[in-house]
Amino acid sequence: MNIVIIGAGYVGLTTGLGFTKLGHRVACVDIDADKIAKLDLGEIPFYEVGLQELLVESQESGAIVFTTNLSSVVSEAQVIIFAVGTPATSTGEANLSFLFNAAEQVGHLLDHEALMVVKSTVPVGTNRQVLTKIREGLNEVGRTDLSSLIQIVSIPEFLREGTALHDFLAPDRIVVGADDPIVFSLVEDLHRGLKTVWVKTTIESAELTKYAANAMLATKIAFINEIANIAERTGADVRDVARGIGLDSRIGPHFLRAGIGYGGSCFPKDVSALHHIAGANGYDFKLLASVIETNNRQRDFFMKKIQDVLSPLKGRKIGVWGLAFKPETDDVRESAAIDLVQRLYAHGAEVVVYDPKATETAARVLPEGIAFAPTPIDAADGADALVVLTEWSEFREVSFSTLKSRMLDPLIFDGRNCLADLGLEKFGFRYIGVGLCSRKTS
Ligand code: UGA
């Protein structure tokens, strides 16, 4: 099939490249000319496992093209996928202006029947508004004949950064919301080659499923962080509790890693948006308000832990490992690590940071006074403490005896508990994690 994808961000690019793997021809459109120029040259503008290689492969075979000009590709499209951003406004709602602009444009340009797919994460009811915008556009240019033929389908994405391509090619499920059953078979054709479970439902249910999935996962994280806080006060160890509950198949083992809380471009935005959707529909979603508060408070607690030992922070030298909102990505959007680095710096600490991938992205948002080190050991050189904020696996490979010899004080605060099982006390470190039992020897 010929597919046009509008939006060349994480979702649009991964989806577009994924569809080339399934044998489709893809035209990817974005208003950002710099981004399109980079992609044209075969460069993915962010770090995501597997995409770079697939881009080169798909460009060589002619399976994907990039353009800023929607009108140049729309006439060939059998499927048009909307994958533009829906960032949160200051009040927590999703900003739908990019999506609606794209829909209007499609309405003005379309001259044949094509299936409209919304991948962007959008409040319940938005797909129908997008359809209305497309139809209005068609009517404005006198294509009223096409207007009633156009159908819209909601296929929310569940791609995780770091494993996005894998998630596209091996999805746990594909949720499809449509009005007309004919659309379901078209969508199955589009995904031919993928083994998955289909959830065929209404447009509204598909839209809500996306928010519910992210909100559920965020709630699990908030819950285990609350348990971690109780564990600290009672002498329990949150890792054992998480394992103990996670083995119950009704609960499951995932998203029960305690730490400094969730971040990224999705959970904070989507949890707030769902809370807002509930409010706009006359429902006070108390649980989600509490999840948001718990997640923010988790950073305060961690900061307090550092201050309790090192206060006053002014003049203290602190090494930081990790800036990305999670490992295997260079994304620092809403990263808890960035927030904590800023707080340490604001309290007067001398902060030296290291991240294997997120140096460039972090440098754009961190204050100038923060220094970047080329290796983890260099970040901790002469430091009063090391603070671990993203659980990159390479941190476990560091020579801890060298690290100890280079630090002024062998003190580690681990906001991800990712070094907790290494027995760092053996090397002479004082190790402070989140929700760990101080009596426990690993
Ligand atoms: C999330 C969802 O997992 C995807 O299914 C969804 O498609 C995506 O949002 C989206 O809406 O586009 P992502 O933001 O890439 O994916 O990251 P996650 O792996 O879900 O992690 C989110 C945050 O939770 C990270 O900051 C991570 O460190 C934190 N986390 C995760 C924990 O603190 N503890 C855990 O046990 C798991």
Side-chain angles (χ1 to χ4, degrees):
M1 287 185 188
N2 284 337
I3 302 172
V4 165
I5 300 208
I6 306 177
Y10 278 98
V11 174
L13 266 183
T14 309
T15 306
L17 286 166
F19 276 127
T20 66
K21 267 253 181 240
L22 301 185
H24 301 298
R25 288 160 52 85
V26 175
C28 202
V29 185
D30 201 290
I31 48 171
D32 183 338
D34 287 345
K35 190 187 274 184
I36 291 296
K38 263 194 167 177
L39 286 164
D40 246 346
L41 291 172
E43 268 174 63
I44 296 282
F46 49 82
Y47 174 72
E48 180 65 44
V49 176
L51 285 195
Q52 185 59 57
E53 297 79 354
L54 184 54
L55 172 63
V56 172
E57 198 182 295
S58 303
Q59 277 181 316
E60 272 170 15
S61 68
I64 197 159
V65 293
F66 297 96
T67 178
T68 52
N69 186 0
L70 181 61
S71 64
S72 66
V73 289
V74 89
S75 61
E76 301 283 310
Q78 293 161 283
V79 178
I80 297 181
I81 300 178
F82 294 88
V84 295
T86 53
T89 63
S90 54
T91 50
E93 296 160 78
N95 173 358
L96 300 174
S97 59
F98 300 110
L99 184 60
F100 290 156
N101 286 343
E104 261 168 33
Q105 239 195 311
V106 167
H108 288 152
L109 295 169
L110 202 64
D111 59 1
H112 61 289
E113 202 179 331
L115 182 64
M116 303 294 143
V117 177
V118 175
K119 272 254 168 246
S120 304
T121 298
V122 289
V124 184
T126 306
N127 273 256
R128 291 193 194 283
Q129 288 175 282
V130 170
L131 182 58
T132 303
K133 296 266 178 213
I134 297 170
R135 287 183 170 155
E136 282 169 3
L138 284 165
N139 293 340
E140 274 164 26
V141 294
R143 294 305 309 256
T144 41
D145 56 322
L146 269 182
S147 179
S148 60
L149 298 175
I150 296 300
Q151 298 240 32
I152 199 145
V153 52
S154 165
I155 314 180
E157 56 85 17
F158 301 102
L159 310 174
R160 292 162 297 175
E161 286 181 27
T163 54
L165 187 58
H166 167 270
D167 292 346
F168 178 88
L169 295 169
D172 288 343
R173 78 302 204 185
I174 298 179
V175 177
V176 191
D179 284 334
D180 184 343
I182 289 178
V183 169
F184 293 129
S185 56
L186 273 173
V187 172
E188 281 193 51
D189 275 352
L190 184 64
H191 294 84
R192 194 157 300 245
L194 296 185
K195 280 202 192 76
T196 191
V197 178
W198 291 93
V199 180
K200 296 172 186 170
T201 182
T202 62
I203 292 174
E204 287 72 17
S205 302
E207 289 172 327
L208 187 55
T209 302
K210 166 64 197 220
Y211 282 112
N214 275 0
M216 180 73 219
L217 293 169
T219 303
K220 276 187 102 173
I221 298 169
F223 179 82
I224 203 65
N225 281 336
E226 297 266 51
I227 295 293
N229 299 337
I230 300 169
E232 276 177 9
R233 288 159 176 77
T234 54
D237 190 305
V238 71
R239 292 169 301 165
D240 293 343
V241 179
R243 186 165 147 75
I245 61 172
L247 285 166
D248 183 327
S249 60
R250 294 168 302 175
I251 298 172
H254 305 293
F255 281 68
L256 291 178
R257 277 179 286 112
I260 50 176
Y262 62 77
S265 66
C266 304
F267 283 3
K269 163 177 85 74
D270 292 349
V271 173
S272 293
L274 183 53
H275 186 252
H276 196 274
I277 292 166
N281 285 280
Y283 183 70
D284 181 10
F285 201 151
K286 288 195 161 105
L287 178 63
L288 276 197
S290 175
V291 167
I292 295 166
E293 193 198 329
T294 301
N295 196 57
N296 292 334
R297 202 172 58 158
Q298 202 62 11
R299 298 178 191 181
D300 301 341
F301 285 150
F302 190 68
M303 189 65 200
K304 184 167 180 308
K305 257 183 207 173
I306 298 172
Q307 285 173 305
D308 281 350
V309 181
L310 291 178
S311 205
L313 287 174
K314 195 164 172 43
R316 296 277 195 185
K317 187 163 180 202
I318 298 184
V320 169
W321 287 0
L323 298 165
F325 84 97
K326 68 173 190 180
E328 300 308 325
T329 177
D330 61 356
D331 197 343
V332 297
R333 285 176 290 174
E334 299 287 326
S335 169
I338 294 287
D339 180 25
L340 286 161
V341 166
Q342 282 167 335
R343 292 194 204 190
L344 291 168
Y345 183 72
H347 278 85
E350 190 187 321
V351 187
V352 184
V353 297
Y354 170 79
D355 188 288
K357 294 280 179 215
T359 299
E360 241 177 75
T361 45
R364 288 184 214 137
V365 294
L366 286 177
E368 274 191 1
I370 287 170
F372 286 81
T375 69
I377 298 271
D378 287 325
D381 197 23
D384 292 291
L386 169 67
V387 176
V388 184
L389 299 175
T390 313
E391 66 275 36
W392 287 96
S393 55
E394 72 169 67
F395 297 157
R396 296 171 59 82
E397 311 300 324
V398 164
S399 159
F400 285 95
S401 48
T402 310
L403 178 70
K404 179 166 181 266
S405 70
R406 298 274 294 270
M407 289 179 70
L408 192 66
D409 188 2
L411 169 63
I412 299 180
F413 296 92
D414 185 352
R416 298 291 181 182
N417 291 344
C418 60
L419 308 177
D421 60 346
L422 296 181
L424 293 179
E425 291 83 358
K426 280 198 311 260
F427 293 91
F429 285 98
R430 181 167 174 210
Y431 176 82
I432 300 172
V434 178
L436 306 180
C437 171
S438 53
R439 290 190 298 274
K440 180 168 172 140
T441 48
S442 301

